[in-house]
Amino acid sequence: MNTAAFVDQQIAAWKAEGKDGQWIAWNAALLCVGWPYVFGARGEYCTPANRRRYYRDAHPTIKTACKNFEGSGSCSGCKWYPGGQKVRFFDCRGFTYWVLLTVYGWKLMGTGATAQWNDANNWKTKGTVAEGLPADTLVCLFVRKGKTMEHTGFGFNNETVECSSGVQHFTQRKAKWTDWGVPACIGGEIPVPTPTPTPTPTPTPSTKPTLRRGDKGPYVIELQTDLVALGYGIGPLGIDGDYGRATKAAVEQFQYDHKLTIDGVCGPKTWAAIDQAIADQDSQPEQPKKYTVVIRGLDLVEADKLIMTYPDAVATQEGSEQS
């Protein structure tokens, strides 16, 4: 199984070589075979912390499939931790979204397969499988049930790659596929990758600059690398040296977890706390404290909105053992 770092590097290399965009997208999809399925995910790193963030909306197998779900063990030996390096996880529409975003810098809009299909701006052309598919063209395939699209994946020259029970490759398209669309980005220009800045030697905490949203460069790469190592997701683009919205959100979550001022700015105190957390992780990771907060009088809708504010929180109905 390939690592996320290998796939990212290979995509960048193909772009630098000037390979055709849909060729890159198809082969990038193939490189992801074996990576796990998590409902609602769009290419986040497979870490126990990221799995916990999706558990409340997903099938319980997320928990049972992850032996380090509670963060009390180690990812060592897990098939989704090849060679001690991370992979990414997706659901079906998150997989096609991530591949096209990574290759073309283009977003396949829609919160689900049906919404993606119904957004006319997503497609150059659409059709049914029964009528035939365009040759030598990468398409997004769909499984229709009534007005709903139940599943999606990539099709190319009668082969398919989809994320259902993990990312899978089939050399012959199955009969389940009913509809297809050619993404609007196909045939367009792909962004030329900029050289990754050469990391400078790690300075002492007192010399690290204060970083905030909009900053770029090697210190941002260092910050993102540390956040990922600590289990904080920084968005589908990964470690890119750009202090964007996802990196700011990860810093805010770290600050919340470590009782720092929550402002999304990585200053001296946040740098020091990150350095200490990395040092603790190298020896004996500190387990997060858990608290029980009782709020009475909420209906289910209000409770759901509140619980979604705190990624690692779980809700328990009073008088029940169900969480």
Side-chain angles (χ1 to χ4, degrees), residues 13-124:
W14 286 334
K15 287 184 179 183
E17 292 170 10
K19 297 284 190 182
D20 175 70
Q22 68 175 352
W23 183 94
I24 297 176
W26 174 251
N27 283 278
L30 290 174
L31 290 180
C32 299
V33 169
W35 288 3
Y37 176 98
V38 170
F39 179 76
R42 298 195 295 181
E44 293 83 351
Y45 285 115
C46 182
T47 65
N50 282 342
R51 281 177 173 262
R52 289 195 297 273
R53 290 188 177 97
Y54 285 101
Y55 178 63
R56 63 178 175 269
D57 296 324
H59 194 277
T61 52
I62 289 180
K63 185 174 183 179
T64 58
C66 181
K67 66 179 183 179
N68 193 23
F69 183 82
E70 300 295 347
S72 56
S74 170
C75 292
S76 178
C78 178
K79 66 179 180 179
W80 295 311
Y81 195 55
Q85 296 190 55
K86 295 180 179 67
V87 300
R88 299 179 186 275
F89 53 42
F90 320 88
D91 63 5
C92 65
R93 56 91 205 189
F95 178 59
T96 54
Y97 170 91
W98 179 84
V99 171
L100 295 174
L101 176 64
T102 303
V103 174
Y104 286 96
W106 177 83
K107 294 182 179 181
L108 183 62
M109 301 303 293
T111 56
T114 301
Q116 288 180 342
W117 174 260
N118 289 336
D119 191 332
N121 293 321
N122 283 338
W123 313 107
K124 276 189 170 183

Side-chain angles (χ1 to χ4, degrees), residues 169-252:
H169 173 223
F170 297 96
T171 57
Q172 293 294 321
R173 187 178 66 250
K174 294 186 176 181
K176 66 181 180 180
W177 301 106
T178 59
D179 297 78
W180 57 267
V182 177
C185 60
I186 297 297
E189 295 183 0
I190 60 175
V192 178
T194 55
T196 301
T198 302
T200 56
T202 302
T204 61
S206 61
T207 65
K208 293 180 182 180
T210 296
L211 300 175
R212 51 178 50 83
R213 186 173 179 180
D215 288 340
K216 295 179 173 65
Y219 286 104
V220 178
I221 290 177
E222 179 183 348
L223 171 63
Q224 291 174 326
T225 301
D226 288 346
L227 289 169
V228 169
L230 293 170
Y232 293 89
I234 57 172
L237 296 181
I239 300 170
D240 59 359
D242 187 350
Y243 201 122
R245 181 174 60 183
T247 298
K248 180 176 182 288
V251 170
E252 289 174 340

